[in-house]
């Protein structure tokens, strides 16, 4: 850093007299250079320095402590956002306004006492103006008590957290669903809409890639997936959090909805991730915090937590809807502010690290707090009170199979490979074996006997008709099917005879052969249901 004499070298006589008055010094009447030299000599007195620092207002003393704690210099824009501006004045304005009598900020108080100067220093992004403590004053400063950094923003008001949405381990459910979808060849962009994933698909897919469960072409890696699904839930969640913490290619900025990116510039997701977690670490445990106030305080005090200097112009970021480039510091809210909001409401909540709350259940989150699992997960330890995977599968006589979130993830993953998926309702995943799904499973090397064994082990019993239907399909290689909406074909004459003797007889019309019959229009679903009760799989083909 520059010395005190360097700091004085370009200051007019009016400034030097202001500084001398601040230190209660009488200077000899001499040339400007003589006054500068006399002042420089007097300010090397450690006792005098200690007296001046002791007389500082609390805010100015904290600003000086922050400078010293940062090694003696801080970028001007960063320092000014927290400790205020430093006005630059010429001799006439100094003599007229006497700014030392009513400094506009703690930073300016230090400047007019000579405890802080302004200079440009080289950085990785080019020269940048800094606030600094003169090099030869730095060792003379007394020990400065540094207060812990205050929490950013304000606590949430009662109404803002009236409806809490605690962090959960739903990430594990959605990971299982997405892995099963990829294993089955389903398009994760369009094939999962009806399943209501709690976790953003792009973030989850990037996390599964980082964890080594999916390759760069989004193909599932069977052995790692099997191992992941078989470890207990707490260990699985902790492992995903640790992967996220250390994943340099999982870039939350580029996953941020509503933005588009151009150019070859590179950001550092790890640095941004660490910066946000450090800022959140200042929040009190267990207390709800206002989300908007937190973001506003970050803007004021940590404006450059992600971009610094020329990066505000060098990163080509666009608003996806308007195509407008979001360059310059004036677009902080559209990039950094939007990222902070989504980072807390999205990834941190999905990973089980943050609870959310709002005024009503379906409204936008207004408040957040670190979850009870947060510190444990971030340290790589297993969270307490996470689910036990001891649930049972339920198999109905109509062939519908339901599995709750307590059913082992490995079981649900296998069920999804044998069956067609139905919508998730009330936390229950529903499946149904069909000829098409069983054919697809067979193509992947899975056998019906494996499905029967899986259901026998993890359910409270399989209705006999369902077992019969699965075995009949395995034996006959086909299933009853309704074609062209009005014609039913069954695998054997016995099947048709049984159907004609059932309650579905009223839906049957002309007999077309020993295994074919006309079905009344609109009755296809009812006929398929009765076939299942009789022990035959059926499906409707348009």
């Amino acid at each position: 850093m520059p010395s005190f004499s360097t700091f004085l070298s370009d200051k007019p006589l009016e400034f030097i007299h202001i500084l001398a008055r601040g230190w209660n010094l009488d200077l000899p009447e001499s040339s400007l250079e003589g006054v500068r030299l006399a002042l420089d000599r007097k300010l090397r007195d450690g006792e005098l320095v200690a007296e001046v620092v002791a007389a500082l207002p609390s805010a100015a003393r904290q600003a000086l402590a922050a400078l010293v704690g940062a090694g003696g210099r801080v970028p001007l824009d960063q320092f000014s956002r927290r400790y205020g501006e430093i006005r630059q004045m010429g001799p006439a304005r100094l003599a007229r306004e006497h700014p030392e009598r009513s400094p506009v900020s703690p930073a300016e108080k230090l400047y007019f006492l000579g405890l802080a100067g302004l200079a440009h220093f080289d950085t990785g992004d080019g020269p940048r103006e800094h606030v600094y403590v003169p090099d030869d004053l730095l060792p003379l400063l007394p020990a400065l008590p540094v207060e812990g950094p205050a929490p950013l923003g304000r606590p949430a008001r009662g109404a803002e957290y009236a409806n809490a949405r605690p962090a959960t381990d739903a990430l594990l459910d959605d990971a299982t669903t997405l892995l099963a979808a990829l294993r089955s060849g389903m398009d994760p962009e369009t094939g999962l809409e009806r399943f209501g994933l709690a976790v953003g698909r792009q973030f989850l897919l990037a996390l599964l890639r980082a964890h080594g469960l999916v390759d760069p072409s989004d193909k599932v890696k069977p052995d790692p997936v099997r191992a992941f699904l078989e470890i207990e839930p707490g260990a699985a969640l902790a492992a995903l959090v640790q992967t996220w913490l250390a994943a340099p290619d999982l870039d939350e900025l580029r996953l941020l909805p509503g933005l588009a990116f151009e150019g070859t510039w590179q950001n550092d997701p790890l640095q941004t991730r660490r910066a946000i977690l450090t800022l959140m670490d200042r929040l009190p445990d267990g207390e709800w915090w206002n989300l908007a106030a937190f973001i506003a305080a970050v803007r004021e005090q940590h404006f450059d937590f992600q971009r610094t200097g020329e990066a505000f112009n060098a990163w080509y970021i666009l608003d996806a809807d308007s195509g407008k480039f979001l360059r310059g510091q004036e677009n902080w809210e559209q990039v950094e502010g939007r990222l902070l909001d989504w980072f807390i409401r999205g990834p941190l909540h999905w990973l089980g690290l943050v609870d959310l709350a709002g005024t009503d259940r379906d409204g936008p989150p207004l408040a957040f707090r670190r979850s009870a699992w947060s510190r444990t997960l971030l340290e790589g330890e297993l969270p307490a009170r996470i689910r036990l995977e001891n649930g049972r599968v339920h198999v109905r006589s109509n062939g519908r199979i339901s599995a709750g979130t307590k059913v082992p993830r490995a079981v649900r993953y296998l069920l999804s490979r044998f069956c067609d998926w139905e919508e998730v309702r009330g936390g229950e995943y529903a499946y149904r074996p069909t000829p098409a799904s069983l054919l697809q499973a067979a193509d992947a090397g899975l056998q019906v006997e494996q499905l029967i064994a899986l259901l026998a082990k993890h359910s409270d019993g399989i209705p006999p008709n369902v077992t019969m239907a699965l075995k009949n399909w395995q034996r006959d290689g086909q299933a009853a099917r309704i074609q062209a909406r009005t014609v039913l074909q069954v695998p054997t004459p016995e099947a048709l005879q049984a159907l004609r003797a059932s309650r579905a007889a009223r839906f049957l019309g002309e007999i077309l052969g020993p295994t074919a019959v006309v079905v009344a229009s609109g009755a296809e679903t009812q006929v398929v249901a009765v076939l299942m009760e009789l022990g035959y799989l059926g499906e409707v083909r348009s």
Side-chain angles (χ1 to χ4, degrees):
M1 266 82 68
S3 65
F4 188 73
S5 60
T6 302
F7 167 76
L8 293 175
S9 63
D10 61 350
K11 301 296 186 289
L13 186 60
E14 290 78 6
F15 182 95
I16 292 175
H17 281 302
I18 286 174
L19 195 154
R21 287 194 293 272
W23 289 68
N24 292 317
L25 295 175
D26 292 323
L27 295 179
E29 294 294 334
S30 63
S31 67
L32 177 58
E33 184 60 28
V35 170
R36 288 174 179 156
L37 290 173
L39 186 60
D40 183 39
R41 284 193 298 270
K42 289 179 179 293
L43 266 59
R44 295 178 185 277
D45 181 344
E47 291 186 7
L48 181 57
V49 172
E51 290 176 8
V52 171
V53 170
L56 287 173
S58 174
R61 195 158 49 248
Q62 281 300 308
L64 182 59
L67 265 179
V68 174
R73 73 181 193 189
V74 175
L76 174 61
D77 52 355
Q78 177 182 326
F79 194 76
S80 297
R81 278 189 292 273
R82 186 166 186 183
Y83 298 109
E85 68 172 315
I86 298 174
R87 295 174 294 175
Q88 298 298 290
M89 301 181 181
R93 188 179 175 190
L94 288 169
R96 183 176 65 253
E97 296 188 14
H98 293 284
E100 78 282 4
R101 296 175 181 173
S102 54
V104 296
S105 68
E108 191 170 87
K109 177 69 174 178
L110 298 180
Y111 179 71
F112 283 112
L113 283 170
L115 296 172
L118 299 175
H120 284 82
F121 296 93
D122 287 330
T123 67
D125 296 323
R128 188 176 181 189
E129 191 168 17
H130 285 65
V131 180
Y132 70 92
V133 178
D135 197 43
D136 41 2
L137 276 187
L138 198 56
L140 300 178
L141 294 174
L144 293 165
V146 180
E147 299 174 4
L152 297 165
R154 65 168 175 82
R157 302 183 179 96
E160 294 170 343
Y161 58 89
N163 283 273
R165 305 168 206 174
T168 70
D169 57 4
L171 177 70
L172 300 179
D173 299 319
D174 287 353
T176 304
T177 299
L178 182 53
L179 288 168
L182 295 173
R183 189 73 170 92
S184 301
M186 190 182 297
D187 182 355
E189 287 297 318
T190 59
L192 299 178
E193 290 296 339
R194 67 185 185 277
F195 299 113
L197 297 185
V199 179
R201 286 190 303 277
Q202 291 302 319
F203 174 83
L204 180 55
L205 189 56
L207 181 60
L208 297 180
R209 289 194 202 105
H211 200 62
L213 303 177
V214 177
D215 69 18
S217 61
D218 294 339
K219 300 295 184 184
V220 168
K221 299 179 179 180
D223 290 339
V225 166
R226 186 181 304 110
F228 171 72
L229 294 175
E230 289 177 352
I231 63 175
E232 66 102 355
L237 184 60
L240 288 176
V241 171
Q242 290 302 304
T243 290
W244 169 74
L245 282 172
D249 296 325
L250 199 166
D251 190 345
E252 287 87 358
L253 176 63
R254 293 180 189 264
L255 294 173
L256 183 57
L259 296 185
F261 308 91
E262 293 183 0
T264 59
W265 54 274
Q266 295 291 321
N267 58 308
D268 185 349
L270 288 176
Q271 182 275 325
T272 299
R273 202 174 296 146
R274 286 192 294 264
I276 294 174
L277 290 174
T278 298
L279 295 175
M280 289 185 58
D281 199 47
R282 292 160 54 174
L283 303 182
D285 283 332
E287 186 166 357
W288 288 106
W289 215 252
N290 181 273
L291 178 57
F294 175 77
I295 294 171
V298 173
R299 185 190 189 285
E300 178 183 351
Q301 300 180 35
H302 300 276
F303 191 85
D304 52 1
F305 77 89
Q306 175 173 245
R307 288 182 290 176
T308 61
E310 288 303 312
F312 280 96
N313 291 311
W315 293 12
Y316 281 79
I317 302 174
L318 298 83
D319 180 89
D321 292 331
S322 67
K324 173 190 172 185
F325 276 107
L326 302 175
R327 301 177 66 188
Q329 297 186 10
E330 63 272 17
N331 284 301
W332 190 94
E333 287 85 356
Q334 297 303 312
V335 179
E336 278 78 5
R338 190 186 296 185
L339 175 64
L340 278 168
D341 180 68
W342 177 76
F343 197 97
I344 293 169
R345 291 188 298 106
L348 291 182
H349 183 61
W350 299 332
L351 289 161
L353 301 173
V354 159
D355 300 327
L356 300 175
T359 55
D360 54 71
R361 187 176 62 183
D362 299 321
L366 302 177
F368 71 100
R369 68 182 178 189
R370 286 200 304 271
S371 74
W373 295 343
S374 177
R375 295 194 185 278
T376 299
L377 287 171
L378 290 172
E379 291 170 2
E381 299 177 4
L382 274 60
R385 299 187 303 280
I386 203 166
R387 78 174 92 175
L388 295 175
E389 290 189 335
N390 56 3
R392 306 292 286 173
V393 171
H394 300 287
V395 187
R396 299 181 182 176
S397 60
N398 64 3
R400 188 175 188 267
I401 303 169
S402 61
T405 56
K406 290 187 177 181
V407 169
R409 287 164 291 129
V411 172
R412 187 163 71 81
Y413 178 78
L414 283 173
L415 284 174
S416 69
R417 297 186 62 197
F418 277 105
C419 304
D420 280 347
W421 304 6
E422 298 184 354
E423 290 188 14
V424 178
R425 294 182 181 177
E428 291 281 324
Y429 296 87
Y431 308 94
R432 191 184 299 274
T434 66
S437 70
L438 292 175
L439 279 172
Q440 184 176 11
D443 290 341
L446 300 174
Q447 300 299 318
V448 167
E449 288 86 350
Q450 293 173 272
L451 175 58
I452 295 173
L454 183 74
L455 293 175
K457 180 178 180 181
H458 293 281
S459 75
D460 293 326
I462 312 174
N465 63 292
V466 175
T467 303
M468 184 187 301
L470 292 171
K471 289 182 176 180
N472 283 341
W473 184 90
Q474 179 80 345
R475 182 193 66 222
D476 300 328
Q478 59 178 339
R481 60 185 182 275
I482 295 177
Q483 292 181 303
R485 295 175 293 180
T486 56
V487 177
L488 169 67
Q489 292 182 334
V490 293
T492 64
E494 291 78 15
L496 181 55
Q497 184 178 354
L499 187 64
R500 292 182 66 196
S502 73
R503 59 186 172 83
R506 67 184 186 277
F507 300 127
L508 305 181
E510 179 185 358
I511 301 297
L512 301 179
T515 60
V517 64
V518 174
V519 175
S521 179
E524 296 90 346
T525 302
Q526 293 96 317
V527 172
V528 169
V530 173
L531 281 167
M532 173 60 80
E533 294 174 2
L534 296 173
Y536 297 95
L537 288 176
E539 64 179 346
V540 179
R541 292 184 180 177
S542 57

